[in-house]
């Protein structure tokens, strides 16, 4: 596979949906792995106090001495915060449950919505030569998620192919609009990603049809199938691309990475 077109600065994508269980962290891990596999240098910022992205990439809890909490609130040095993973070109700033108190502490900070924005644009970032930064947001529209949107160029929205899937999008879209108006006018929607799609299920087909009719080109052509290998991979602390490289889930995330790279190449042209 050809290497992605070099970027003058890393593309920052927040992966967000206030609804839990839609494949947000799974998408962050596996999209990051697919982009890295294709030749890009990728940093994942685990902004979820559950720390599932950190666990899913093999960062043990006792190895998370410097975390996103320290990076945001204590101005920890970038070199201390970033950890390598087992995959080449893929690194992470891990999270722990300490991050759950960040919302309260952020309220007292005048720059509370811009802390991640500023941290990801410090001069030391240039030394990482990154192509992409993926932010795994918590399953809520709190100050951490707002920080991610203020810091990001775009928001990728995983959407589970289930009943009522589209109903939860209205509040997320409203939050994105508010961030555009108040703090990040350039923020755009990277795309809506259909996840856990079951080709044998009429409901999945109906949800997809409704999503494409309502959201049009915002919906990625790539769909992530319901795949047991994708579900199993986190328990082995690895992306599905490593766990089972030939699985349908692994290929779907490769397709998503290629679709994103091609979109950015068209925008840059």
């Amino acid at each position: 596979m050809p290497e992605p077109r070099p970027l003058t600065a890393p593309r920052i994508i927040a992966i967000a949906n206030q609804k839990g269980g839609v494949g947000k962290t799974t998408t962050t891990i596996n999209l990051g792995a697919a982009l890295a596999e294709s030749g890009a240098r990728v940093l994942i910022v685990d902004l979820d106090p559950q720390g599932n992205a950190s666990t899913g990439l093999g960062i043990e809890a006792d190895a998370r001495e410097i975390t996103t909490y320290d990076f945001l609130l204590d101005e920890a040095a970038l070199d201390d915060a970033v950890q390598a993973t087992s995959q080449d070109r893929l690194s992470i700033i891990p999270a722990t449950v300490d991050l759950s108190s960040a919302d309260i502490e952020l309220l007292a900070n005048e720059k509370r919505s811009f802390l991640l924005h500023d941290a990801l644009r410090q001069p030391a970032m240039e030394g990482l030569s990154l192509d992409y930064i993926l932010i795994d947001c918590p399953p809520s529209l709190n100050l951490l998620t707002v920080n991610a949107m203020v810091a990001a160029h775009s928001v990728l929205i995983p959407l589970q192919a289930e009943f009522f899937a589209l109903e939860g999008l209205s509040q997320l879209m409203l939050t994105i609009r508010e961030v555009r108006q108040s703090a990040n006018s350039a923020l755009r929607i990277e795309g809506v990603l259909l996840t856990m799609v079951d080709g044998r299920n009429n409901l999945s087909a109906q949800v997809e049809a409704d999503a494409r009719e309502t959201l049009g080109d915002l919906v990625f052509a790539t769909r992530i199938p319901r795949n047991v290998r994708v579900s199993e991979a986190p328990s082995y602390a690895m992306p599905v691309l490593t766990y089972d490289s030939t699985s349908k889930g692994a290929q779907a995330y490769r397709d998503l990475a290629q679709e994103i790279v091609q979109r950015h190449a068209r925008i840059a042209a």
Side-chain angles (χ1 to χ4, degrees):
M1 185 181 295
E3 290 195 1
R5 179 175 178 168
L7 303 176
T8 55
R11 184 83 189 175
I12 305 175
I13 304 174
I15 291 86
N17 191 326
Q18 76 273 23
K19 186 175 181 183
V22 298
K24 176 180 56 62
T25 298
T26 298
T27 293
T28 304
I29 291 172
N30 289 298
L31 173 58
L35 287 167
E37 183 185 78
S38 73
R41 298 188 68 86
V42 183
L43 172 66
I44 289 175
V45 178
D46 191 348
L47 210 60
D48 187 343
Q50 297 175 89
N52 290 337
S54 307
T55 303
L57 286 171
I59 309 298
E60 298 291 342
D62 58 5
R64 303 177 203 176
E65 296 182 6
I66 306 296
T67 68
T68 44
Y69 176 92
D70 306 297
F71 189 59
L72 273 178
L73 294 164
D74 292 340
E75 298 183 358
L78 182 68
D79 289 345
D80 294 332
V82 175
Q83 293 195 32
T85 72
S86 59
Q87 178 157 346
D88 291 343
R89 296 179 295 277
L90 180 62
S91 56
I92 186 169
I93 301 179
T96 64
V97 70
D98 289 350
L99 199 59
S100 60
S101 67
D103 244 31
I104 297 172
E105 296 180 49
L106 284 169
L107 286 173
N109 193 310
E110 291 183 0
K111 298 179 66 179
R112 55 184 170 268
S113 298
F114 289 85
L115 293 179
L116 186 59
H117 172 279
D118 294 348
L120 292 178
R121 286 162 175 82
Q122 59 183 276
M125 290 296 296
E126 294 182 12
L128 296 180
S129 301
L130 295 170
D131 298 300
Y132 290 92
I133 298 174
L134 306 181
I135 307 171
D136 186 29
C137 297
S140 61
L141 297 177
N142 59 12
L143 265 174
L144 289 173
T145 300
V146 170
N147 259 267
M149 291 183 182
V150 173
H153 297 107
S154 59
V155 181
L156 189 157
I157 305 169
L159 185 73
Q160 186 177 354
E162 64 168 13
F163 199 57
F164 294 138
L166 290 173
E167 288 196 359
L169 280 184
S170 57
Q171 186 60 44
L172 178 58
M173 295 295 193
L174 180 60
T175 301
I176 292 172
R177 186 184 312 153
E178 290 174 349
V179 170
R180 277 182 183 147
Q181 292 172 348
S182 63
N184 183 2
S185 61
L187 182 67
R188 68 180 187 85
I189 296 173
E190 184 70 34
V192 174
L193 176 67
L194 292 165
T195 63
M196 305 178 200
V197 175
D198 187 345
R200 303 162 299 177
N201 187 326
N202 289 336
L203 178 58
S204 282
Q206 185 60 53
V207 170
E208 178 174 0
D210 289 348
R212 294 193 186 281
E213 180 180 352
T214 304
L215 302 169
D217 291 340
L218 284 179
V219 183
F220 286 105
T222 302
R223 304 175 304 160
I224 307 301
R226 187 174 291 278
N227 180 255
V228 67
R229 295 304 197 188
V230 172
S231 301
E232 289 173 350
S235 65
Y236 291 88
M238 61 182 69
V240 70
L241 284 83
T242 304
Y243 177 64
D244 188 346
S245 181
T246 62
S247 66
K248 290 182 179 179
Q251 187 54 52
Y253 278 110
R254 289 189 184 100
D255 292 343
L256 175 63
Q258 187 174 24
E259 189 172 351
I260 287 174
V261 169
Q262 289 173 348
R263 281 189 179 191
H264 292 170
R266 287 196 299 270
I267 292 170

